[in-house]
Amino acid sequence: MADNKIRLQKFLSEAGVASRRKAEEMIRNGLVKVNGAVAQIGDSVDPKRDTVVVSGKKVRKESNMRYILLNKPRGYVTTTDDELGRKCVTELVRDVKERIYPVGRLDRVSEGALIMTNDGAFANAMMHPSKHVPKTYRVTVRPEITSEQVDILSTGVEIDGRLTAPADVKILSKEEGRAVLEIVLYEGRNRQIRRMCEALNLEVAR
């Protein structure tokens, strides 16, 4: 008989429960059971035969995959649930019956295209650093930006002791006291563009 088992954290990720890293945390915290027994890091499961329960709820791998491109407005956090009670992007897709979740992040005061899906394998392929999937942003900064600052943003800015990966940066328009940039990132760190600009004393207005 063929071995159809996969790592438990991979199963949870592809079922849309959480990212692999978050799934590992849930396993370590004893929140996951397989066939009634508390799971351990390193466990594998057969998706067709084993029963997986997370925090008392049975996990079913979705057979109907959904992919939504959402224009995220400002004021929403990119998460499925927020402990501070802030508005979540999932509130914008309440009419979708499948349990979908955001791929990547846009911070609360940012807006733009956000993919939401229940396809864990697709989400992992989009977000994994080794894939270097480009992400394009239109950014308004204050005050005016110099060519030297553009070069630094392009070649790498030190954040938390590590340089950011090379980025494509160009000025779309410039006027007194502000400039509009197009920035293409090939990695995804927390609040990366805002932190890159802050390091160069540039305020991100939008």
Side-chain angles (χ1 to χ4, degrees):
M1 182 179 295
D3 185 0
N4 296 317
K5 290 194 172 184
I6 61 175
R7 284 295 180 99
L8 178 56
Q9 59 264 38
K10 180 180 180 183
F11 168 78
L12 293 174
S13 174
E14 292 183 354
V17 174
S19 67
R20 292 193 194 189
R21 184 178 298 177
K22 186 67 176 178
E24 288 178 358
E25 291 180 15
M26 298 170 78
I27 295 169
R28 288 193 186 94
N29 292 332
L31 302 177
V32 184
K33 291 184 177 181
V34 178
N35 301 327
V38 176
Q40 304 294 326
I41 294 293
D43 285 355
S44 296
V45 296
D46 183 334
K48 294 184 178 180
R49 295 176 177 271
D50 294 325
T51 299
V52 179
V53 174
V54 176
S55 299
K57 295 182 180 181
K58 185 176 180 180
V59 178
R60 293 181 175 84
K61 192 171 179 181
E62 293 278 7
S63 58
N64 184 29
M65 295 300 181
R66 292 293 296 269
Y67 308 86
I68 290 177
L69 185 61
L70 174 72
N71 184 18
K72 185 192 100 61
R74 285 190 278 186
Y76 287 81
V77 291
T78 308
T79 184
T80 56
D81 184 54
D82 184 67
E83 59 187 18
L84 300 178
R86 295 173 297 182
K87 295 184 292 185
C88 301
V89 291
T90 47
E91 297 176 29
L92 302 170
V93 289
R94 283 176 171 166
D95 56 334
V96 178
K97 65 178 182 178
E98 291 84 7
R99 182 189 177 278
I100 60 175
Y101 54 91
V103 178
R105 288 181 178 273
L106 285 173
D107 64 36
R108 185 174 60 86
V109 293
S110 295
E111 59 189 307
L114 180 69
I115 297 174
M116 301 190 71
T117 186
N118 57 353
D119 186 342
F122 168 76
N124 287 331
M126 290 290 290
M127 291 188 292
H128 199 279
S130 66
K131 304 300 182 182
H132 302 293
V133 177
K135 294 166 282 290
T136 303
Y137 300 86
R138 182 184 177 98
V139 186
T140 301
V141 296
R142 301 189 185 112
E144 297 177 13
I145 190 169
T146 66
S147 57
E148 181 183 4
Q149 288 172 315
V150 170
D151 289 342
I152 296 173
L153 289 172
S154 300
T155 55
V157 178
E158 186 174 317
I159 296 177
D160 297 331
R162 183 164 59 95
L163 282 179
T164 57
D168 299 328
V169 182
K170 65 180 179 181
I171 299 174
L172 298 180
S173 65
K174 233 177 152 179
E175 57 187 68
E176 186 176 353
R178 56 174 292 201
V180 179
L181 313 176
E182 180 181 273
I183 303 178
V184 182
L185 298 183
Y186 297 90
E187 63 176 349
R189 301 199 210 175
N190 183 42
R191 299 180 67 252
Q192 181 169 341
I193 286 181
R194 293 182 188 277
R195 296 172 72 193
M196 288 170 66
C197 291
E198 286 168 5
L200 299 179
N201 296 316
L202 294 170
E203 176 194 355
V204 174
R206 189 170 185 179

